[in-house]
Amino acid sequence: MRRSTTVRMSPGRRRRVTAGLGCLLSALVLAVLPLPRGVDQAQAATAESSAVTKSGAKGTYGDDFSNLKVTVHQTKDLTGQGVRVTWTGGVPSGNAETNFLSIMQCWGDADSGPDRTQCEFGLAAGGQNGDGRAVYRGDTSGHDPLEADASTPVDKNGTHYVPFRPVEGQGDPTTGPTDTTYFTEGDTNADPFMPNDGDGGGDISFELKSAVEQPALGCGARTTSAGAIQPCWLVVVPRGTHDPNGQTHTGGAQVTSSISQSNWDQRLVFRLGFAPVTDNCDADKPERGIMGSELATDAITSWQTALCRTGTYRFNFTQSGEQQARDAVKSGDALAGLAMTVDPVEPVAGAAQVVHAPVAVTGLTIGFVWMYDATDGTRPLTKLKLNQRLLAKVLTQSYPFSVVKPANQVPEYLSGNPDSLVKDPEFLRLNPDLAGQAAGNAPLGLAVTLANTDSANVVWKYILANTDAREFIEGKADPWGMKVNPSYEDGVVSDSLDFFPKADIAPRTPDCGGGSTVTTTYTGLDVVPYVNDMHDGALKVRRGDIGTAYDCVVVDNIAKLTPLGRPIPTRQRQFGVVDNASAVRYQLGAAALANADGDYVTPTDESLLKAVAEMPDSDVAGVKAPAPGKMKDGAYPLTAVVYAAASLDQAKDARQDYAKVMRYAAGAGQTQGTAKGELPYGYAPLPAAMRTQAKQAADRLEKGTADAGSTTGGTSGGGDDLSGTGSGGAAGGVAGGTGTGGDSAGTSGAAAGGTGASDTPRPSAAPSGTDPAKQNVAQSGGATPAEVLGFIRWVLLGVLVAGGVAALAGPVMLRLSVRRTNLTGEK
């Protein structure tokens, strides 16, 4: 389930992929490889501390798997995520459809492990070898002699099959080999055909499901009588060149399933320890509301259990647009007494002061899964470079294949532009390995969220800070003659934009086939649909399917668009703007982005922290914000700091509880790891000075408005000067109007005993004595679309939470960018 306006019960678990890159594959290559993340060694050691390796055995009919060694690189503290699986010692597949692995997730008994009825397997896309739940008996081709006396059921067509049996309470067993009651080809996580590479090995990212994503497996929800979490299992079935009846398989698809008994008997079984899918918090405890940025979601949901262990309240996190969260804090909404935000809450004359505590360092990632055709077969792309103008081209629908089906005629206004990214000379200069690709062998467009967010604004500021990109959007052709889609001219894009408009919604008419006179239409919104949120985008990129629908079928004389569906793993090509934690969680590749030096940088702990150190001052003392166009010296441009913002004018017990969140975030919550309560991978640990600043903000919040004018070693900036450049910087970043404790309007918060935000110490994960008041604070980017866009936009039907959305209009965007500020669903 997706994240937004509900309580996040399932914590995010993180690990970084550290090795196994550049694996050369033959014609049928390993699919869905984990891509290089530039992970530091300390993270790698932690993430792989639960890795398990198992060896194969000699088969019955000459297939010898004795040299096969398979490693599952994380087996504890698991959740819905990607997990790395590697292997060595197999026989190379070459161009044949033999010598491969089938991989599946199962539930089962803690002592005996799973049986084959307990595995999610059998409905993979594309009819891949080894797939299916049907088993062949008797004298049929490829029959399995061990199935002769098996008590397998028979479907209505007389086919014997292995039913899928869900965990207790989730329903009855399936009634045939194609029964889609519990999973389909679009959402199954089974990988039935993972060919061995040229060295007999392989390296993939396997999508694990907790009980949240797949209740029928129950992983993380099933418990023993003593309350311990029951294990789940990863099963790997090696396949060779022989059918179960001993015949050598010489060509064509192997018809027998990997869960046919003879094949199943060769399995390697790995015990998987899942984290509980609930926060183990007393349901009778009243709730404290936290609202805001998706960039904080994985961190907050990891911390919830630890925060609930003490105190009388539980913490409920509602994912929303940051502006909506800021508005809630300013309005005194009791449902969101603490906001997670990137831009600060701007001070308002006459309103209570708001304190800001830094709680997380992370960023936006262009995450990708991209298989491409090389001279020696299909291979995974492991490195991708993108600059600002290329992002501008993609986000303005300027490649024809982002608005029309490849077989349809290119619209006149895009004629002369490269059909897709891989035909763009600018892209190929940065990514020469992709030269010679067919135009269709590329993502059709970036998967982006619909919502109004600070994150989207960071991306636009990054793009528009570059002269080439800005001039392209304004109508100047690139050096090769490519021009912007004219739907984006006349001020659609600005550096205050906080969403991703899809301005080209011209209708196209697909051929519905069969000489039918019945027709329908599709638009660019069907070719590259919005995703619900960035986590949803990361998962869809991982699966290679973002929901593109431009084909049609006629049913009962009604034409309907049909999704392309999930491709086989060797044809997965997608990328999207996602949060770094989700990219790491699902082991997406991370594009290297150009910074102000012209260097290409990926998001790592080091590059994120370098960016934090370089962020400029803000008008709200104690707060840093992204400065994507100014990052140099190895700093990652799309870095962001998430702040916890709370009004000082709240009840004492509420202030104490929210101060507790700030202190935990600045303390134990900065220990990286995969266990509940730890900082998920994809976040960099807060610099020591920021930890101190957060703790001071918590102290300030706990004191409340009664001490709003006090200082702790310096004086607050006076009047309307909130820049932090006066005689004292704000401890914890206080934005104030007129509080109830006697402050004058516009007075900044209590000083931390420094001389303002003048020096910029380099961040450090280790504690230090650095004065947080001397850290640079950031330039606010809090302008809303209503302040900067000269056109009206329709808001998506079904808005669930009021506030934060401005209705804007204009000639291009009418009826087009319907979008939501919140989406329901739970992860």
Side-chain angles (χ1 to χ4, degrees), residues 388 594-601 614 628-635:
Q388 295 92 328
N595 66 9
D597 289 329
D599 295 329
Y600 286 83
V601 184
E614 295 179 10
K630 299 180 180 180
M631 298 296 100
K632 298 181 179 180
D633 301 322

Side-chain angles (χ1 to χ4, degrees), residues 296-321:
T297 298
D298 281 2
I300 294 295
T301 52
S302 176
W303 298 337
Q304 279 179 318
T305 299
L307 288 167
C308 189
R309 290 191 186 117
T310 60
T312 58
Y313 281 81
R314 59 187 298 164
F315 293 96
N316 159 0
F317 180 67
T318 300
Q319 184 177 294
S320 73

Side-chain angles (χ1 to χ4, degrees), residues 263-427:
N263 299 323
W264 175 256
D265 287 348
Q266 296 294 324
R267 68 192 181 279
L268 306 177
V269 181
F270 297 82
R271 184 185 180 106
L272 302 176
F274 274 75
V277 296
T278 65
D279 61 7
N280 294 323
C281 205
D282 185 352
D284 293 332
K285 283 187 177 182
E287 294 181 345
R288 292 288 188 207
I290 304 174
M291 175 185 282
S293 177
E294 183 175 4
L295 294 179
T297 298
D298 281 2
I300 294 295
T301 52
S302 176
W303 298 337
Q304 279 179 318
T305 299
L307 288 167
C308 189
R309 290 191 186 117
T310 60
T312 58
Y313 281 81
R314 59 187 298 164
F315 293 96
N316 159 0
F317 180 67
T318 300
Q319 184 177 294
S320 73
E322 291 88 349
Q323 186 59 51
Q324 184 176 337
R326 290 191 288 267
D327 289 343
V329 165
K330 288 191 290 186
S331 68
D333 188 344
L335 296 178
L338 190 68
M340 294 294 155
T341 184
V342 176
D343 291 340
V345 178
E346 296 287 352
V348 177
Q353 291 185 336
V354 174
V355 65
H356 296 79
V359 294
V361 173
T362 186
L364 287 306
T365 300
I366 309 300
F368 65 91
V369 171
W370 192 331
M371 306 299 291
Y372 72 100
D373 294 333
T375 55
D376 56 350
T378 306
R379 298 175 61 184
L381 188 67
T382 57
K383 294 182 180 179
L384 178 65
K385 291 183 179 179
L386 295 171
N387 61 27
Q388 295 92 328
R389 185 162 57 193
L390 288 170
L391 287 175
K393 292 174 180 180
V394 175
L395 289 173
T396 58
Q397 299 173 286
S398 295
Y399 295 107
F401 283 2
S402 67
V403 294
V404 300
K405 180 180 178 179
N408 290 167
Q409 184 176 357
V410 171
E412 179 62 29
Y413 57 86
L414 293 179
S415 63
N417 282 4
D419 286 337
S420 73
L421 200 62
V422 293
K423 293 300 182 182
D424 187 340
E426 181 172 19
F427 177 77

Side-chain angles (χ1 to χ4, degrees), residues 693-726:
Q693 180 184 348
K695 292 172 183 177
Q696 290 179 341
D699 293 343
R700 183 73 183 82
L701 177 61
E702 202 162 41
K703 291 179 181 178
T705 57
D707 295 318
S710 66
T711 61
T712 58
T715 58
S716 61
D720 293 328
D721 180 12
L722 297 173
S723 64
T725 59

